[in-house]
């Protein structure tokens, strides 16, 4: 069972300036719910109850969100508005939230490494990038599907999707053998390759299950693309030993780290309630 989920949330979110000047990108709402709450709900639905969040300066609102707000709750007690806090109360009551800070933005690999102090090294854990909003209207959530894959293969699992060939330079791209329908054993991965050099159009999105030896691997992974410690580079070490499975998930993914994806997600969720 995967009980712990890590949320790297230290990024500046520069594509959403000025909105993210004083507010964390992860708190931007799709309709009335902040992005990170969608992620925490997905993790809980997959069986996690420890939510470890890597934050940075200016991210205090995330901690306040996953805490009781006595004054507010007292004010709306007994009114119809009380229901609006029902979902978040469920999470607060049933999950443990822990936090650490990534002091400098040194890349996703480094942010995950910072999570070691919160997660320990004794079990595999999930990672959700809250700005990748994933839903499966037809069944199990994306992380829940990945947990099932992990239980079978007992190694790191990464979520992938097919992207347009012209977009391969925006993602980590994998290659490997399809060993079951939608399940690949990864043999190679490259971070944001030039379009002409991308080995496939199978792109890594913001959902991972990582075995804890990844911490030691990250420790010795040199900064790669953009001078940042890339999780893709660390995962390649595991992949070379046949220990990474890529899973083409069932469902939808919205890239809410950019304005187009954010608007698309907003329209999608709005249609669900109309
Ligand atoms: P992004 O590449 O989207 O970067 O990070 P960003 O800073 O959040 O956004 P832009 O590009 O400036 O608009 C992907 C995920 O990895 C986390 C981010 O918080 C985001 O969830 N991250 C990235 C870290 O936590 N630390 C890092 O050093 C880098």
């Amino acid at each position: 069972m995967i009980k712990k989920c890590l949320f790297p949330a230290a990024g500046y979110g520069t594509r959403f300036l000025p909105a993210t000047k004083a507010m964390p990108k992860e708190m931007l709402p799709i309709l009335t719910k902040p992005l990170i709450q969608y992620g925490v709900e997905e993790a809980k639905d997959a069986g996690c109850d420890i939510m470890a969040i890597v934050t940075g300066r200016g991210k205090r609102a995330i901690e306040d969100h996953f805490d009781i707000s006595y004054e507010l709750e007292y004010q709306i007690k007994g009114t119809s508005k009380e229901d609006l806090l029902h979902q978040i109360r469920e999470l607060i009551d049933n999950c443990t939230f822990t936090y650490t800070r990534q002091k400098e933005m040194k890349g996703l690999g480094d942010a995950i490494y910072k999570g070691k102090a919160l997660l320990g090294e004794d079990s595999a854990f999930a990672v959700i990038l809250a700005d990748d909003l994933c839903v499966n209207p037809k069944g199990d959530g994306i992380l829940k599907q990945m947990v099932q894959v992990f239980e079978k293969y007992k190694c790191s699992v990464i979520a992938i999707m097919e992207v347009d060939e012209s977009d391969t330079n925006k993602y980590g791209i994998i290659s490997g053998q399809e060993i079951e329908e939608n399940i690949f054993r990864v043999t190679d991965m490259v971070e944001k390759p030039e379009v002409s050099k991308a080995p496939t159009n199978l792109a890594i999105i913001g959902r991972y299950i990582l075995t804890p030896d990844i911490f030691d691997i990250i420790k010795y992974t040199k900064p790669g693309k953009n001078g940042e410690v890339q999780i893709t580079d660390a995962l390649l070490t595991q992949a070379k030993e046949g220990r990474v499975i890529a899973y083409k998930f069932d469902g939808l993914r919205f890239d809410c780290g950019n304005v187009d994806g954010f608007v698309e997600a907003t329209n999608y969720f709005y249609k669900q309630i109309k």
Side-chain angles (χ1 to χ4, degrees):
M1 273 298 269
I2 303 289
K3 302 297 288 176
K4 303 172 189 173
C5 186
L6 184 70
F7 294 83
Y12 293 136
T14 52
R15 284 168 287 172
F16 274 91
L17 283 171
T20 46
K21 186 161 176 275
M23 182 177 80
K25 172 170 79 170
E26 297 74 15
M27 288 301 294
L28 291 172
I30 299 295
L31 306 189
T32 55
K33 201 192 291 181
L35 282 171
I36 194 158
Q37 189 177 331
Y38 286 92
V40 170
E41 285 173 5
E42 184 184 335
K44 181 167 174 285
D45 180 51
C48 299
D49 60 4
I50 294 178
M51 309 295 169
I53 306 182
V54 179
T55 66
R57 283 178 291 281
K59 300 270 185 173
R60 281 279 301 276
I62 298 177
E63 292 184 44
D64 290 338
H65 186 68
F66 294 109
D67 196 358
I68 294 168
S69 172
Y70 283 106
E71 278 175 38
L72 171 71
E73 292 182 39
Y74 176 75
Q75 279 284 329
I76 63 174
K77 204 172 169 51
T79 74
S80 57
K81 291 193 177 138
E82 211 174 356
D83 270 0
L84 300 175
L85 292 181
H86 178 73
Q87 276 179 313
I88 181 75
R89 280 308 295 255
E90 272 279 298
L91 298 177
I92 295 168
D93 290 345
N94 294 298
C95 303
T96 302
F97 292 85
T98 62
Y99 300 88
T100 190
R101 280 190 179 201
Q102 185 190 21
K103 292 179 198 77
E104 287 170 80
M105 278 265 292
K106 287 189 192 162
L108 180 57
D110 180 69
I112 291 175
Y113 188 74
K114 293 288 179 290
K116 180 175 147 185
L118 304 174
L119 300 167
E121 286 177 271
D122 54 354
S123 54
F125 59 93
V127 177
I128 287 185
L129 304 187
D131 45 6
D132 263 351
L133 180 47
C134 293
V135 280
N136 181 14
K138 295 195 194 120
D140 287 344
I142 279 66
L143 191 61
K144 195 168 182 178
Q145 296 170 36
M146 293 172 71
V147 168
Q148 285 156 16
V149 176
F150 171 78
E151 276 163 6
K152 180 160 181 192
Y153 291 95
K154 305 271 187 255
C155 64
S156 292
V157 179
I158 56 182
I160 52 165
M161 61 184 269
E162 286 185 38
V163 296
D164 287 343
E165 265 154 38
S166 56
D167 281 339
T168 44
N169 58 354
K170 297 180 186 149
Y171 296 89
I173 299 291
I174 68 123
S175 41
Q177 284 113 33
E178 191 163 14
I179 51 176
E180 269 188 69
E181 195 185 358
N182 295 332
I183 295 184
F184 299 74
R185 195 172 292 279
V186 178
T187 49
D188 201 4
M189 29 202 334
V190 46
E191 183 63 24
K192 301 190 175 87
E194 278 173 43
V195 171
S196 59
K197 293 195 178 140
T200 67
N201 67 338
L202 298 172
I204 304 169
I205 61 128
R207 296 290 179 280
Y208 307 78
I209 291 177
L210 302 175
T211 51
D213 58 302
I214 198 75
F215 290 127
D216 256 354
I217 299 172
I218 297 174
K219 194 168 159 188
Y220 297 107
T221 299
K222 295 207 165 63
K225 200 124 202 167
N226 307 329
E228 296 185 338
V229 179
Q230 302 289 350
I231 189 62
T232 312
D233 293 339
L235 275 165
L236 184 56
T237 304
Q238 289 186 336
K240 294 281 179 212
E241 295 165 3
R243 296 194 291 122
V244 178
I245 293 290
Y247 170 59
K248 209 156 85 179
F249 59 92
D250 278 340
L252 305 168
R253 171 257 186 186
F254 300 98
D255 178 6
C256 295
N258 75 59
V259 175
D260 288 349
F262 188 87
V263 171
E264 224 181 285
T266 303
N267 290 335
Y268 172 82
F269 282 93
Y270 188 64
K271 273 198 200 123
Q272 306 306 304
I273 59 164
K274 282 291 147 190

